[in-house]
Amino acid sequence: MKSQIKFIIFVLFASIVLNIQAQIVPISTHYTVLRDKYNPAFNGLEGGLGVVANYRTQWTELQKAPKTLNLVADIYLPQISSGLGLNIMNDRLGAYNQTAIAIAYNYIQPIKEKFKIGIGIQAGANISKLDGSLLVTPQGDYSTGTNHNDDVLSSNTVKSIAPILDFGVALHHKYFELGVALQNLINYKYEYQGNISNLNTTFGRTLNFTAKGNVELGQNIHLKPAVNFLTDFKNIQTDITLMAGFKYFIDAGINVRGYNKNSFESLSPIIMIAPVKNLQLTYSYDFNLNGLKQVNDGSHEISLSYFLESKNLFKQPKMINHPRFL
């Protein structure tokens, strides 16, 4: 099994001799919690200070299976009608490891006191590493060490750095929000130094659309439907989520990923608990429904979120009436 996994990783990176194009936006069942990560126009749009720590381990029991760690933070600055954000991600998949660090700016404009529109941009750098010692090639010789017998693949760890540039627009209301983002605008070419020639990769641009609602069914019960569409302009990844909650203390629901006439990827129960004020814990488990279910035990994901409203961040100064201007 270990050799098979290594060979799969090799195919992903080297099956198209020198140039590879692929989509590399790690998916998340917690896309409603991590919406700032996918769309910079959500930074500060809700008002206040928000911090999310997220960890996802995908396809457990597969060796070198994907593991993703996210740290997302944003703050609303009412003095300049703007939101600022920080996005840090580490994603590991077999021999490949990428770390992305980006900062975001979002201009926020209220519309008729009920709506807010955000126009955001995110920029940063993606540092990626390919560990050649973990790869196996059909023509390689591994009897006394690592020799891929390949001009492109190195047996050492090679690195590449590429810029990040994302743009997004979002609309926020008390009962719903919408967002559209174009990611990887620059589409920079990554270069990994090989034995003789270099391995060049481009990851492609992606378009992300998110919609979420909040329907109150009385004083204590609410529903939160949400959808997320991600496309690289060749294929579409869909997520459909429905959550039901009681007093904003506990929410439970289900996420469906990849349902179409050709595939049904996963079904994911989700639970959200707010044990104390301003703090929320989210957990989900993905049951695979495609061919991968025969070789793995699903995916776990957990998020810890903290949110503090603007009124608690920026307190209004005490007002003293002047006798001439009552």
Side-chain angles (χ1 to χ4, degrees), residues 131-147:
D131 188 350
S133 66
L134 298 178
L135 301 176
V136 174
T137 65
Q139 69 274 17
D141 179 10
Y142 305 99
S143 57
T144 58
T146 302
N147 183 6

Side-chain angles (χ1 to χ4, degrees), residues 43-247:
N43 283 284
L45 198 60
E46 197 171 1
L49 169 70
V51 181
V52 180
N54 167 270
Y55 177 71
R56 177 177 174 85
T57 175
Q58 195 170 347
W59 306 330
T60 57
E61 299 302 319
L62 279 179
Q63 296 185 33
K64 302 297 181 179
K67 290 179 172 58
T68 307
L69 179 65
N70 291 289
L71 178 63
V72 180
D74 73 308
I75 187 171
Y76 174 59
L77 302 177
Q79 299 89 343
I80 57 174
S81 301
S82 302
L84 300 179
L86 174 67
N87 186 354
I88 301 174
M89 180 201 71
N90 178 256
D91 185 50
R92 298 173 181 266
L93 170 59
Y96 183 76
N97 184 331
Q98 66 167 331
T99 300
I101 302 175
I103 57 176
Y105 170 77
N106 185 31
Y107 175 72
I108 300 172
Q109 177 63 51
I111 303 175
K112 295 184 178 180
E113 298 183 356
K114 293 184 178 181
F115 296 89
K116 288 187 290 185
I117 187 169
I119 302 175
I121 189 168
Q122 179 169 260
N126 193 336
I127 305 168
S128 58
K129 296 189 296 183
L130 180 62
D131 188 350
S133 66
L134 298 178
L135 301 176
V136 174
T137 65
Q139 69 274 17
D141 179 10
Y142 305 99
S143 57
T144 58
T146 302
N147 183 6
H148 297 317
N149 283 322
D150 191 289
D151 293 342
V152 177
L153 293 178
S154 170
S155 58
N156 301 316
T157 297
V158 289
K159 300 179 181 180
S160 184
I161 301 177
I164 295 172
L165 185 62
D166 304 331
F167 173 78
V169 179
L171 179 68
H172 176 81
H173 184 271
K174 180 180 178 180
Y175 296 114
F176 68 89
E177 60 185 24
L178 305 171
V180 179
L182 186 59
Q183 300 164 309
N184 198 23
L185 286 170
I186 299 177
N187 196 20
Y188 188 83
K189 182 179 291 185
Y190 293 69
E191 292 187 1
Y192 303 95
Q193 185 177 1
N195 295 321
I196 297 177
S197 302
N198 291 339
L199 175 65
N200 298 328
T201 69
T202 55
F203 292 134
R205 298 180 180 90
T206 57
L207 183 68
N208 179 270
F209 170 79
T210 303
K212 186 178 75 171
N214 183 15
V215 182
E216 295 185 353
L217 302 178
Q219 187 176 359
N220 298 322
I221 306 296
H222 60 268
L223 295 178
K224 291 184 177 180
V227 296
N228 186 70
F229 300 102
L230 181 66
T231 178
D232 60 358
F233 304 100
K234 295 179 182 179
N235 301 293
I236 298 177
Q237 176 72 65
T238 61
D239 280 272
I240 302 173
T241 306
L242 179 62
M243 304 290 295
F246 176 73
K247 286 187 174 181

